[in-house]
Each structure stands twice: as C-alpha cells, then as structure tokens.
Amino acid sequence: MEKKGSKRQAVLDALTGQGLSREAMARVAELTGVPEADVYGVGTFYTLLAEPGPRVCQGLSCKLAGGDALAEKLEAKGTVHRVSCLGQCDRAPVSLGENNRLDVAGPRGGISPDNPGLVMNLAGEDDPSYPALAWARKMGGEAVIDELEASGLQGRGGAGFPAHIKWRAVRAEAEPTKYVVCNADEGEPGTFKDREIMLRRPQLMLEALAIAAFVTGCEAIYIYVRGEFPEETDALKAALAKGGLEDFEFRFIEGHGAYICGEETALIESIEGRRGMPRLKPPYPTQQGLWGKPTLMNNVETLACVPDILLRGGARFLALGKTEPGTKLYCLSGHVNNPGVYELPLGASLNELVAAGGGFVGTPLAFSPGGASSGVLPMSLADEPLDFKSLAAHGSMLGSAGVVVLNDTVDMAWVAQVQAVFFEDESCGQCAPCRIGARLVRQALDRYLQSGNPDNLEHIEELAWEMTEGSICGLGMVAAEPAVTARRHFSDHFGVRP
Amino acid sequence: MSDFEIMIDGQTVGASDGETVLTAAIRAGVSIPTLCHDPRLDPAAACRTCLVEVSGSGRLQPACAWKAQADMTVVTENPRIKRHRAVLLSMYLADHALDDEGLPVERPNGNQLREMVIKEGHAFDLVPVAAPRGNREDKNPYVQFNPDACILCARCTRYCDEVEAVSAISLAGRGSATTISTVAERSLLDTSCELCGGCIDVCPTGAMFEGKAPVHAPEAIEKVRSTCNFCGVGCQLDLNVLDGKVIKVTAPPPGTTVNDGNLCVKGRFAYDFVHHDDRLTTPLIRRDDGELHPCSWDEAISAAAAGLLAVKKNHGADALGFISSARCTVEENYLVQKMSRAAFGTNNCHQCAAT
C-alpha cells in the first residue's frame, strides 16, 4: 500500500498554473495522495502559486530607479503584483510578464572584462570538455576535498561556511543514498551573481555538481532554481544538453516565489513538496537532509569556484584573495554608474568595487554590503574590506555580497522601511519573533515616516534583540537590522529627505 | 533508568538517549514555559517560549526539541532568558485579542498565554499589529476558530495530521498572514474533518473552541470523570459541570487514560441527551390502551421475556432474531449471542457494527 502523500514531491509542480480553487485542490490531492488542506497550505505559501501573473519589483534598487512609478504605470494597464526583489537590480526598475519572463528591464548590467586569471571569469568561455571533472576522477575524492581545504573556499551563499567541511561530512556518511543540491534560489535583495553564472558560465556550476556527486557518492543532483529565473533554468538545461555529464542524474526543481527557500532546510522542505518553513537544526542537512538522507548543499557561486581550484590548485585560489581566500562576485547596484557583477579579490573595498562599476552617482551616503540582511553602513567604511570577518566586526555581514549604494538624496528611514516590507512579506510565519516582529518593525517605520514622531521607534532595538535571540532561522535574526543600523549610523539622515 | 546525567539550574538530572531537555526538566520538577508542546506530537519549537541556555550553543535553544546530551548544562532562568520571555510575550500581546486590562482574553477552555503573561510579565505595550488573517465562516455546530486568539503554534494542525491522520486543517498563507485553514477555507463539514474536536483540546489559547459551549472561567467548572457510553472502547472523558449541568465534555490529559487525550465526535459533542426533555429515564411498556407507560426494570424484562417466549412457542426459535448494539462491550455482545443460541436456540444473532 502506498503511504499517505507518497507522491508529495509532485505537489508543487501539480499546483503550478492551477490556482487555489477547491477543484484544483481536489485534483492535486487525488494525484499526489496528499490531503487537500495540506495541498492548500502548501499552495498558499508560495506567491507564484497564490498570486500568479505579472509582477513588478519593489526591491530597494528598483525603488531607487523608479520602481513605484513603473508599478503605477503597469497597474493602470491591468493586474500586476508588487513583489519582493526579483534579482535584476542591475537592470532596475524591472517587471516580469506572464511565465515570469522579463517584461520591463534596463540593459544588461556590467561584468568584469575577460581575464583568464579570474576564477569564474564571467566574460570567458565554458570548456565543454569538463577538464576539472576528468582531473577529479584522476585525483580521487579525498584529494579533491584536500584541495578544497587548501583553497580556503568559504560558502558563497551568505554564511561563509568552509566548503570542504560539508563535502567531507557528506562523503563520510555511511548511508548509501545521498544527494547533492545546488541552491540557485537567489533572492537576497541586491543579489544577482548566481544569475550571471547560470546565464554566462553554466558549465562551471554543472561540472562542480558532477564533481561533488562523484566525491560524495551521491545518487542524484538537484538544482533548485528560483521560479522567477526561467531563462537561467533554460541556460542550464541547454548547457547540459551539450553533453559530457551523462554519467550523472540532474533533476531541476523550480522555485515558486518564496525568499525563505534560499535557507537550506526550507529549500529541502520545498523540494519535498511542503511549505518552505526552515527545519530545526540539528540535524544538519549533511546528516539528515533531503528525505532524511545526507545532503550536500552548495550555493551556485561556491560550486563555480571548484573547477578552477582543482585545475589550478587550491594554493593559487587562496592567494587570489585580498583578506580572505579567492575571488568573489560582488553585485553592485543603486547609485552607481555601471551596476553589474564584478569579480574582485575577496576583501576588496567598496571604493574599489565602485571604481570597477564606473563610480558613484551623486554624493554617496551609505551602502548595504550584503543584501537587505546586512543592514546599512556609513561611507566611513568605504575602504574597509568587504569580506566575512571585517564586516561581521562592524555588526554587518558580507552575506551574498549584494552591494547597494545609496547617495544623499535618500531618507534612511525610508530605506529601512523598504527592507522591512521585504522581511515582513518573506517571513515564513512559523515562529513568533519573526512573524510578529517583522510586522511590528515595518509598522513602526510606517508610523514614523507618516508622523515624524520618533516615539514610534521606541522599542525597535529591543524587538530586534528578541528577533535575533528568539527566531528559528537567519531571516528573523536579521529582519530588523536595516532599521537598527539605519538608526545607529544615520541619525542625521533618518527621517530626513533632503 | 537513565543513560547519563545533565545539569539543569544546578540540579543533577538523569536523562536518556534521545530525550529532550524539556522531558528531563519536567521529570526533575523544573518548570519551563511552553505553548506549542504536546507530548503526542513531534516538537515544532514554534512558540519559542521554552528557549533556554544549553552548553555548547551560543544561541538560546528550545527545550522541547533540544536533545539532552551527557554532561550538558542547562540554564532555564537568568536575566537573558527573562528578557527574552518578556519581549516575546510583548510581541504575542500585540498579536492577540486582549481584555480591558490588556491581558489575553479568557477563552472557553482557558488561555495559557494569559496565564503565562500573568506569571512571567511582559516588557512593554505595543500597538496591535492587526495581522491580516481573515476569518472563516463555518456553520458546523461544533468546532469554531477565532484567529484573533490564535498564536499559530500549529498544535491543532499537527494533531490533526500526526495523531488523527485526518489533515482537515493546515497552516495556510505566509508571514503575518499565516492562519489555520481548511482547504480553500471551506466549512469543516465539507472537508475530511471527522469533528473529533481534538483541535479544541490541544489549543493552548482557546482559538479553537466549541461553538455551543458557554464561556466560563475554568475554575467555575467541576470536572467529573466518566466513561463514554457510545461504544465499547471505554474512553474516559471529563464531564464539565456547571450548576449541575453538563456544559461540555473534555478529554483527560494525554498519557493518563486509555484514550490518551483523544475523543471522537460522539464522546466529545453528543452530550445534549443528558439534560434533554425527551430523554427516557425509566423503561416503558405499551399497555392494552396502545400507549407507552413507565414501569420498573423487573416489569420490563419480564414483559420482554414473555413476548420472546411466546414468539418461540407459536412460530419456532428461528422466528426470533437478536441484534446487539455497537455501544456494548465485547463481553456484553458475547452474552447476547449466548442468550440467542443457548437460551432461545437460534443462530439469528448479529451486532450492528458487524456488517
């Protein structure tokens, strides 16, 4: 007899394009064996399922570039959903049409010029012979992991966790069934580097996944791509279709509009066909991940570094960094001349990054070094290294290196409010500190912006403290950071729009 | 038998492999506040009230889910934890229906959030967040839901799934709009719900409640333990008596009786007959005037025996048939077939649940 919900994994695909009507729920329940209410609970979690159709970005970089005006223009023509950052900050303001493909968008952003010395070299050409995989097979799994360790590669998804530890942990698991998962659910506001890798150098990532599967003994490779990135999925599939990786089983999973699914355990829940609510840790995915099996999950960029590390050695990668190992793809948007993705030594400063991106527009006031989650920092730190350690020491983080520059035409309270809206919208709602706290912070900022009365912000720091202490996952822990850091660093520009 | 020892608030406590900090603490008599915990359910650690300090982790960790490990040190009371609880409860207050004193409202089955705020205190008053949770109209007579008293601990949905395996309700929506919903917000009558009412019993804040039960302070009610008479299982139930009348039925706490805190729709909700005007309180015999008249049990049994024997005498034993009730126990059913076969001599015996 089949277990209840044994085809649960099919729920999300089955819900796509169905709406959430009673009839649709009954159909999906019938098809998957998952109870109707459960199907409904899953469907209502994901915005692409609950509110399909054209969407307009309300991320900070889009708002700076006229996202509100674009939204009003599109709303006058028909239904359009105002949604969280769509990962196109370099092309702001943007909207998606039907099928989640770009509708309104500026020209493609800049990238670093072709330079074979770079690790990912976005302007370069993929090598269809997959040389690093052949090399890995020759070296053997242990040697590959040793090389990763020698390289000092830190996870590029945001946490900076040493990659070799995860690889070694999964390789060491005795369980015969294991999985490799690529986290391509890029959604941190201001971040669009994984997008460029998938579009320009898809083979780097695919090759690394094959190497990971070989090294850890995994039976299948899952690639979870953000649902708002259909072109990126196309690019990966096209690269795969060119051949060379037939020994490996790749399975593509489409996201359905939920930032939180970038959190690794929420992503696993989502692949399994559930609401994307983060799991309690431990156990960690390397121990019990997808379907309870040991799972190696890496970010797109982390993987894209692997072929170079194997081909040219970990020591070279290590030495490429300025303050920490390797090069890094920095996403640059906001008040700069040439927004885009620039590959610089890890530890480059904001000033160096902006120099690569054509310089500032106007008089810079603030920057957000690693997406909304990293809060905002003053320009006095513009020469500090943008790396994991230094930014943490400044109460911020490198995160996904989604750098947004703000000049002195913005009100930092407004910036904080835009980010607070994001976190309120994207909180999964599972735990009280995040669910209630993110809304309290957003409402307090709303009231402050309307009235100018700072009493409205009286408890923000204390709420932020509790959100950090009490939330289950990282989203809740940082959701009040934009408000707290904007107040901490910009008392002169808080609530003031020059 | 414990596998190892841990230290909770300076007290040495034995613990077993796989056991949570909360389980060990409860056994040691250390009180840790909880709202989303239910021993029958997998821990969700969603309410965050049970966060404590555990050695080896910089973050506060949920006692309900964190596994005890040898030589672990646990702290359940200190300024950090006190501050955490106070601010967390302030947040809950901003997301909950409050009474005139600013406390979480009294609910039909009590409100543990109210008790917790009274005991632990809160840090500050916040403007209500007015979360957009909606409100589902449901015409079913038994199980109602008030989202304004819900803390989204998901005990009801987890119970419905993990214990009842019914899954008529689920967490739905996301973020501050998260709520408890049926499929497409239908009435429970129009779903897989069996109206067992377990969601009411597990709800810590009375958001799930019995529509027809009057609201009364828990202390005004006398609970009378009884055995459900709707079938032979023997579920224990607590008749909630107010002024000599049964106003609702609740399940005894899980782990204390054979039904482990569970009841079915009949046991929980079908108590109207107790005080109903039409309830029979004596046997009745139809006399020659064609009307039913009250009589004693001896009279009734004699009359039934005489009638049955007359049928057997005039038409043979196989003209008789005996059907017993699903409300009878196994032993009672055995006696009915014994009476049928041995006393009256017919195999025409059946039981209404034996289809």
Side-chain angles (χ1 to χ4, degrees), chain A residues 10 51 62 107 131 203 229 250 253 289 315 346 350 377 408 429 434 446 484:
Chain A
E51 294 178 336
C62 275
Q203 289 190 349
F229 279 175
F250 286 86
I253 305 283
L346 182 43
L350 177 78
L377 291 173
D408 63 0
C434 176
D446 276 355
V484 170

Side-chain angles (χ1 to χ4, degrees), chain A residues 118-122 197 201 204 301 304-305 327 329 343:
Chain A
L118 293 174
V119 173
M120 286 160 284
N121 192 22
L122 290 173
I197 294 173
R201 300 299 306 269
L204 285 183
E301 186 188 351
C305 291
T327 60
L329 295 182
E343 183 172 358

Side-chain angles (χ1 to χ4, degrees), chain A residues 10 164 166 207 217 263 305 340 361 384 428 475 494 497:
Chain A
H164 70 94
K166 278 189 184 179
E207 184 172 26
E263 197 281 342
C305 291
V361 171
E384 286 291 302
C428 83
L475 189 155
F494 197 89
R497 192 160 222 174

Side-chain angles (χ1 to χ4, degrees), chain A residues 47 84 257-260 421-429 475, chain B residues 174-175:
Chain A
T47 53
S84 303
Y259 162 75
I260 188 58
V421 168
F422 168 76
F423 286 115
E424 185 192 355
D425 283 351
E426 299 298 335
S427 165
C428 83
L475 189 155
Chain B
R174 190 172 81 195

Side-chain angles (χ1 to χ4, degrees), chain A residues 22-343:
Chain A
R22 171 186 181 154
E23 294 72 25
M25 296 304 105
R27 265 198 308 279
V28 175
E30 175 80 26
L31 185 75
T32 59
V34 174
E36 285 185 343
D38 202 337
V39 171
Y40 183 72
V42 174
T44 53
F45 187 87
Y46 296 93
T47 53
L48 286 175
L49 300 174
E51 294 178 336
R55 38 232 313 119
V56 58
C57 181
Q58 297 288 283
L60 178 58
S61 296
C62 275
K63 284 222 174 210
L64 291 171
D68 286 328
L70 174 62
E72 280 158 28
K73 194 175 121 194
L74 293 170
E75 278 162 353
K77 287 198 284 182
T79 305
V80 59
H81 300 293
R82 294 183 181 228
V83 297
S84 303
C85 179
L86 290 169
Q88 307 285 350
C89 319
D90 51 341
R91 309 178 69 171
V94 300
S95 71
L96 301 186
E98 297 295 341
N99 301 324
N100 304 320
R101 292 191 186 257
L102 276 173
D103 180 18
V104 178
R108 285 184 81 167
I111 54 171
S112 297
D114 188 10
N115 172 2
L118 293 174
V119 173
M120 286 160 284
N121 192 22
L122 290 173
E125 293 281 326
D126 273 340
D127 182 345
S129 70
Y130 294 108
L133 174 61
W135 183 237
R137 283 181 152 140
K138 211 190 268 177
M139 292 165 78
E142 275 306 318
V144 168
I145 296 177
D146 288 345
E147 205 61 51
L148 280 189
E149 185 170 0
S151 78
L153 175 63
Q154 299 156 289
R156 302 306 203 217
F161 190 75
H164 70 94
I165 295 181
K166 278 189 184 179
W167 285 49
R168 211 180 286 286
V170 176
R171 179 175 160 85
E173 286 284 342
E175 162 68 45
T177 304
K178 311 177 196 180
Y179 299 103
V180 171
V181 179
C182 173
N183 184 345
D185 192 40
E186 183 168 59
E188 179 71 36
T191 311
F192 42 91
K193 64 189 176 60
D194 296 343
R195 184 198 78 193
E196 287 303 302
I197 294 173
M198 290 187 276
L199 289 174
R200 296 176 185 272
R201 300 299 306 269
Q203 289 190 349
L204 285 183
M205 172 192 134
L206 295 172
E207 184 172 26
L209 284 167
I211 294 167
F214 162 71
V215 167
T216 56
C218 290
E219 68 169 35
I221 297 163
Y222 284 83
I223 303 178
Y224 188 102
V225 188
R226 183 176 184 179
E228 294 88 342
F229 279 175
E231 282 154 42
E232 289 71 9
T233 302
D234 292 348
L236 291 170
K237 286 182 176 170
L240 202 55
K242 287 181 188 162
L245 297 176
E246 287 79 1
D247 294 350
F248 301 90
E249 187 187 344
F250 286 86
R251 299 177 192 166
F252 285 88
I253 305 283
E254 191 186 324
H256 294 276
Y259 162 75
I260 188 58
C261 290
E263 197 281 342
E264 58 182 357
T265 57
L267 189 151
I268 289 171
E269 290 283 298
S270 184
I271 295 181
E272 292 184 5
R274 300 174 198 278
R275 296 165 58 81
M277 304 195 300
R279 294 178 180 174
L280 302 173
K281 291 190 259 192
Y284 293 94
T286 52
Q287 306 162 300
Q288 290 173 40
L290 189 56
W291 293 299
K293 304 297 183 188
T295 301
L296 174 64
M297 191 182 305
N298 279 143
N299 168 262
V300 172
E301 186 188 351
T302 314
L303 291 162
C305 291
V306 171
D308 182 79
I309 289 170
L310 298 189
L311 291 174
R312 293 197 276 198
R316 178 181 180 273
F317 182 88
L318 181 74
L320 283 174
K322 194 170 171 194
T323 57
E324 288 177 10
T327 60
K328 178 82 192 81
L329 295 182
Y330 290 95
C331 318
L332 183 62
S333 67
H335 291 135
V336 294
N337 282 314
N338 294 330
V341 180
Y342 300 100
E343 183 172 358

Side-chain angles (χ1 to χ4, degrees), chain A residues 363-422:
Chain A
T363 308
L365 169 71
F367 67 104
S368 176
S373 303
S374 67
V376 283
L377 291 173
M379 287 309 289
S380 57
L381 299 175
D383 288 316
E384 286 291 302
L386 298 171
D387 66 17
F388 291 103
K389 211 169 166 184
S390 312
L391 287 168
H394 290 294
S396 180
M397 60 180 179
L398 178 61
S400 54
V403 181
V404 181
V405 173
L406 303 158
N407 67 22
D408 63 0
T409 63
V410 300
D411 171 0
M412 294 305 289
W414 172 83
V415 172
Q417 192 268 354
V418 171
Q419 307 295 44
V421 168
F422 168 76

Side-chain angles (χ1 to χ4, degrees), chain A residues 4 22 36-37 41 44-45 257 275 424-427 432 435 439 443 462 465-466 468-472 477, chain B residues 46 48 59 80 83-84 91-92 124 129-130 151-152 161 167-168 170-176 182 184 186 190:
Chain A
K4 177 178 101 171
R22 171 186 181 154
E36 285 185 343
T44 53
F45 187 87
R275 296 165 58 81
E424 185 192 355
D425 283 351
E426 299 298 335
S427 165
R435 180 184 70 244
R439 188 168 173 86
Q443 289 178 332
E462 201 62 6
W465 179 86
E466 168 55 17
T468 305
E469 287 278 15
S471 297
I472 290 177
M477 290 171 70
Chain B
R48 312 309 279 170
R59 295 203 73 201
R80 179 186 180 196
R83 180 180 175 196
H84 149 69
M91 290 180 170
Y92 273 122
F124 37 73
V129 296
I151 56 163
L152 290 163
D161 174 21
S167 294
S170 167
L171 286 173
R174 190 172 81 195
S176 51
T182 57
R186 274 141 57 179
D190 199 14

